[in-house]
Amino acid sequence: MEWTIHCCVTLAALPRSEFLSTRELAELYGLPKEYLSKAMQALSRARLLDKAMGPTGGYRLARPDSDINVLDIVEAIEGRAPLFTGTGLGRRSNERSDEGPDCPLNQVMMRADEAWRKVMREVTIKDLRLSAENKGQGS
Amino acid sequence: MEWTIHCCVTLAALPRSEFLSTRELAELYGLPKEYLSKAMQALSRARLLDKAMGPTGGYRLARPDSDINVLDIVEAIEGRAPLFTGTGLGRRSNERSDEGPDCPLNQVMMRADEAWRKVMREVTIKDLRLSAENKGQGS
């Protein structure tokens, strides 16, 4: 997950006309190409990345890096399911009312989940790019 | 995970001298006994539950329910590893400085992780028990 985000920061630093291939990104970070390939496809399906075919093809951000936040990427890869609720683990068929949205425990878990997402929603790829640039290093 | 917490709320509602067996808890919630058994053992190892052997044995809370929070239980089961950082996925052997604690992305992920834990740390088993009692139902 972190590496996919690092790749997006790298793409954000490119001129708008340039694409980077999965192979180039994988080599840059020493990642397995197959791992990265799945992640890039997920980001493309979520319309966070544009894909160009051909020998100079690859990926670029589909919109300005100020308009893509960390949560966008996390949700494109992991989905939007809450971390712990809704697993349906061992759920009885005669569902009890305390297992629904009014369940106090469910409310805690949903609040925790939202707190986690909120932090990631407030940080954009541009923020990460500028932080990396200010430190005088790539992402 | 939710079910393990529900079980702790149930144990919190018992008189101090009583224990409930994994079998009784599993039947109460319609859970697989094996699943619950592992969870109860993990809570016992984390000293959140006392275990009594024998035919009337089972588990009870090891301390007052006002002194056990939701995060205690989550960490006893899931460990304390951050949700996304530290997976070591594809990490290069020549580790770059932007992969350490100063990495801006790592800082976002750690803040998100702490926000998630903070919500769960602030809710005790007693809070959940009282909420359930106020609604006139068990946990």
Side-chain angles (χ1 to χ4, degrees), chain B residues 22-38:
Chain B
T22 305
R23 185 179 52 72
E24 288 165 314
L25 286 166
E27 283 175 5
L28 184 63
Y29 289 107
L31 295 173
K33 185 164 169 297
E34 299 67 34
Y35 157 77
L36 197 55
S37 183
K38 277 189 195 170

Side-chain angles (χ1 to χ4, degrees), chain B residues 37-101:
Chain B
S37 183
K38 277 189 195 170
M40 293 290 113
Q41 284 165 25
L43 297 188
S44 176
R45 276 195 303 274
R47 299 177 187 275
L48 299 175
L49 298 182
D50 287 335
K51 183 173 187 174
M53 310 300 274
T56 61
Y59 293 99
R60 71 176 178 196
L61 298 192
R63 48 185 202 246
D65 60 0
S66 57
D67 194 28
I68 298 178
N69 63 48
V70 173
L71 184 63
D72 289 329
I73 299 171
V74 169
E75 290 188 339
I77 305 282
E78 302 281 331
R80 295 184 182 193
L83 293 171
F84 280 124
T85 46
T87 59
L89 211 169
R91 188 147 299 199
R92 281 162 177 259
S93 51
N94 53 339
E95 189 162 335
R96 292 158 47 141
S97 60
D98 58 348
E99 293 160 17

